[in-house]
Amino acid sequence: MLKEKLGQAIDQRKAKIGVIGLGYVGLPLIVEFCLKGFDGIGFEVDENKAKQVNEGISYIVDVPSENLNKCVEAGHLVATTDFSRLTECDVIVICVPTPLRKTKDPDMSFILSAGEEIQKYMRKGQLVLLESTTYPGTTDEVLLPMLEAKGFKLDEDFLLGFSPERVDPGNPQFQTHNITKVVGGVSSASTEVAAKLYGTIVDSVHPVSSARVAEACKLWENTFRAINIGMANEMARLCNALGIDTWEVVRAAATKPFGFMPFYPGPGIGGHCIPLDPHYLSWKARQHGFDSQFISLAEQVNSSMPRYVAGLVRDALNEKEKSVKGANILILGVAYKKDIDDMRESPALSIIDLLRSRGANVYYHDPFVPEVTFDHSYTIGDGEPLFSRELTDELIRETDCVVICTDHTDVDYGRVCDISSLIVDTRNALSEDFRKQSSATIIRL
Ligand SMILES: NC(=O)c1ccc[n+]([C@@H]2O[C@H](COP(=O)([O-])OP(=O)(O)OC[C@H]3O[C@@H](n4cnc5c(N)ncnc54)[C@H](O)[C@@H]3O)[C@@H](O)[C@H]2O)c1
């Protein structure tokens, strides 16, 4: 039987693992499998990424080139743009992007295109797993019919399931191996084999009764974050209106050992997950006549934060009898969160765009991001690309307002406090000591 055969191949590390999409999710995953003794083939549409993988060069912060190189040199890992090699794999894991269309509806084109390649090259005896975040029902409603259209039968000829990826890029404490893996198959045999497979690379696997439960679990988790960040952002604005220190309040509330979990305000939300995933859930809910109001409200609050921050900059400059127009504004940190290079959906881009549209001269420093480009269909400012500037004393001195958008660790905030005249800190990056010693006007969220 297929279940036993694949199970045995996994136990003996003889199952060949194919991963489609070698990005933030797919590359760490395939490297983890290869480090555990499996052979892996990474499938990419981006020739340059495939080439770098084959040269042992990592382009993902959480994957040290040393580990990648070890897998490549030992002959355990190869990357290719040739999808006919899917036939060689016993397991195929899909890790392609799931963006939104401009209308905020799910863009399923990447999953569909990966599904079409699998349909073309699949053979009997394979386990197919989807890891891309998507709405509940995708594995059953989209992938299953594609694989069955080939005349193959579930459980007899192939197994199919969903396992959400929970990796948090840049998080040194939690990485693939110590994050529990939720697994839901479209059949119980699929769940069992998928759980066995993931059990080889993670400390703990949590099987659920269906792919839909696993899909919904991921969206629940990320919607929880989006809503709680939305609440933190609203509380920050409320505290600001009442003249209370937001950060002191949240620090105090976090001392409660139960019933409270701290979330922090910021300039908005970014990355490929939190701003997008809740829309996958609300889109599916709408198809069933359900209006998810929490999701809409969180979206409204979070997406208004860049405008709020631009307003803080305008008001702070005004106090100094300066206008935004013509002001030199230094954005400190443009990545969507600290210590990574990911710019996707970063609120810093909106803040730069808003300030430029009002005539400010905006430049930035980010140790992780050498260049930023702007999507012209969204910009209201000039949309010119920007390059990270060195954080010199002269640069800080000629700046009218420093805006801390990302609290990267590797920035000398003491020096920024010493030299600046005006700082808007959206991340509470400046310690109390720095603030006390500084003669700058410091505005915090
Ligand atoms: N980045 C995260 O922190 C994170 C965390 C959890 C879940 N996810 C989810 O995982 C999925 C992948 O996200 P990511 O951040 O790794 O995206 P990514 O853009 O970093 O990587 C996706 C890769 O897939 C490749 N690709 C696109 N279409 C392809 C195709 N048809 N065949 C082969 N390769 C293809 C792209 O070239 C890219 O390298 C998304 O659904 C995302 O929501 C991401």
Side-chain angles (χ1 to χ4, degrees):
M1 259 178 73
L2 175 57
K3 185 176 93 173
E4 281 74 29
K5 212 172 143 198
L6 266 177
Q8 211 175 34
I10 291 167
D11 284 338
Q12 295 171 350
R13 307 291 187 268
K14 286 192 176 146
K16 189 174 263 192
I17 318 289
V19 171
I20 304 184
L22 300 178
Y24 285 94
V25 164
L27 190 64
L29 184 72
I30 199 162
V31 166
E32 206 70 33
F33 277 119
C34 293
L35 289 174
K36 290 289 180 324
F38 290 96
D39 281 348
I41 307 182
F43 296 87
E44 249 303 329
V45 284
D46 182 336
E47 277 179 21
N48 195 33
K49 281 188 179 165
K51 185 167 168 279
Q52 287 190 70
V53 170
N54 289 330
E55 287 168 357
I57 301 166
S58 174
Y59 44 83
I60 299 288
V61 206
D62 292 332
V63 178
S65 287
E66 191 194 343
N67 286 357
L68 176 61
N69 209 18
K70 207 184 327 173
C71 301
V72 174
E73 287 210 323
H76 285 311
L77 174 59
V78 66
T80 181
T81 54
D82 174 9
F83 286 80
S84 69
R85 295 195 64 186
L86 283 168
T87 315
E88 294 172 37
C89 303
D90 300 294
V91 176
I92 300 170
V93 192
I94 306 171
C95 301
V96 295
T98 42
L100 291 173
R101 296 186 186 285
K102 282 192 179 152
T103 51
K104 304 244 161 140
D105 289 346
D107 175 354
M108 300 301 286
S109 60
F110 296 89
I111 291 187
L112 286 174
S113 125
E116 279 158 16
E117 297 292 353
I118 297 173
Q119 198 181 39
K120 227 186 288 175
Y121 296 111
M122 109 187 251
R123 59 158 167 84
K124 288 185 179 177
Q126 293 176 312
L127 164 66
V128 177
L129 292 165
L130 177 61
E131 286 216 5
S132 303
T133 306
T134 180
Y135 59 81
T138 307
T139 312
D140 291 357
E141 294 164 9
V142 178
L143 284 179
L144 182 61
M146 288 179 93
L147 307 189
E148 285 178 333
K150 186 135 178 162
F152 287 2
K153 284 203 167 56
L154 179 68
D155 284 349
E156 274 176 39
D157 301 324
F158 70 94
L159 300 173
L160 174 65
F162 181 85
S163 179
E165 181 51 67
R166 294 161 137 180
V167 73
D168 180 19
N171 186 328
Q173 192 186 356
F174 294 108
Q175 297 197 333
T176 307
H177 69 96
N178 60 354
I179 304 173
T180 297
K181 200 90 174 99
V182 171
V183 176
V186 294
S187 64
S188 56
S190 304
T191 310
E192 261 182 70
V193 177
K196 186 186 267 292
L197 174 78
Y198 286 118
T200 63
I201 58 163
V202 299
D203 299 343
S204 156
V205 176
H206 183 88
V208 293
S209 63
S210 64
R212 275 167 199 267
V213 169
E215 288 159 339
C217 154
K218 173 69 189 179
L219 292 184
W220 187 320
E221 289 166 19
N222 280 1
T223 301
F224 170 86
R225 277 190 68 74
I227 289 171
N228 278 287
I229 294 169
M231 186 192 161
N233 282 332
E234 180 161 297
M235 291 304 283
R237 294 168 73 158
L238 184 154
C239 285
N240 200 335
L242 301 183
I244 299 170
D245 183 333
T246 311
W247 302 91
E248 196 181 350
V249 176
V250 75
R251 232 183 1 258
T255 60
K256 189 178 178 189
F258 50 87
F260 185 84
M261 186 190 271
F263 281 82
Y264 301 97
I269 49 175
H272 184 33
C273 297
I274 309 299
L276 279 66
D277 297 353
H279 291 282
Y280 272 74
L281 196 51
S282 55
W283 177 83
K284 189 66 182 172
R286 272 199 307 279
Q287 287 191 335
H288 291 258
F290 186 88
D291 179 23
S292 43
Q293 296 182 45
F294 267 118
I295 294 178
S296 315
L297 185 58
E299 146 85 6
Q300 251 177 53
V301 175
N302 290 329
S303 64
S304 69
M305 289 310 287
R307 199 164 281 277
Y308 180 70
V309 171
L312 291 179
V313 173
R314 177 201 56 216
D315 295 348
L317 284 168
N318 192 47
E319 282 296 309
K320 298 215 172 256
E321 297 179 8
K322 289 180 182 172
S323 63
V324 173
K325 191 167 186 167
N328 290 329
I329 298 181
L330 166 64
I331 306 288
L332 259 189
V334 290
Y336 86 87
K337 68 173 182 176
K338 74 190 280 184
D339 298 340
I340 62 162
D341 62 356
D342 196 345
M343 284 302 298
R344 291 177 294 181
E345 314 288 329
S346 176
L349 291 177
S350 307
I351 293 171
I352 293 172
D353 186 39
L354 280 164
L355 293 170
R356 289 209 292 200
S357 74
R358 290 168 188 168
N361 170 33
V362 186
Y363 37 91
Y364 82 93
H365 169 77
D366 190 310
F368 291 87
V369 184
E371 179 185 356
V372 293
T373 53
F374 294 82
D375 179 342
H376 280 272
S377 48
Y378 289 105
T379 45
I380 48 174
D382 62 20
E384 284 301 304
L386 288 175
F387 299 89
S388 180
R389 302 269 297 267
E390 200 186 330
L391 193 60
T392 60
D393 292 358
E394 295 68 49
L395 185 78
I396 303 172
R397 224 170 264 126
E398 72 197 26
T399 294
D400 297 300
C401 181
V402 177
V403 187
I404 303 176
C405 286
T406 316
D407 48 343
H408 290 310
T409 311
D410 197 14
V411 169
D412 186 349
Y413 294 108
R415 192 158 55 92
V416 173
C417 278
D418 282 349
I419 306 174
S420 309
S421 55
L422 174 61
I423 307 172
V424 173
D425 180 3
T426 69
R427 299 280 191 178
N428 197 28
L430 307 178
S431 68
E432 203 175 337
D433 283 349
F434 286 156
R435 280 186 273 126
K436 274 188 188 151
Q437 284 159 19
S438 174
S439 60
T441 305
I442 298 175
I443 313 288
R444 292 188 303 149
L445 260 191

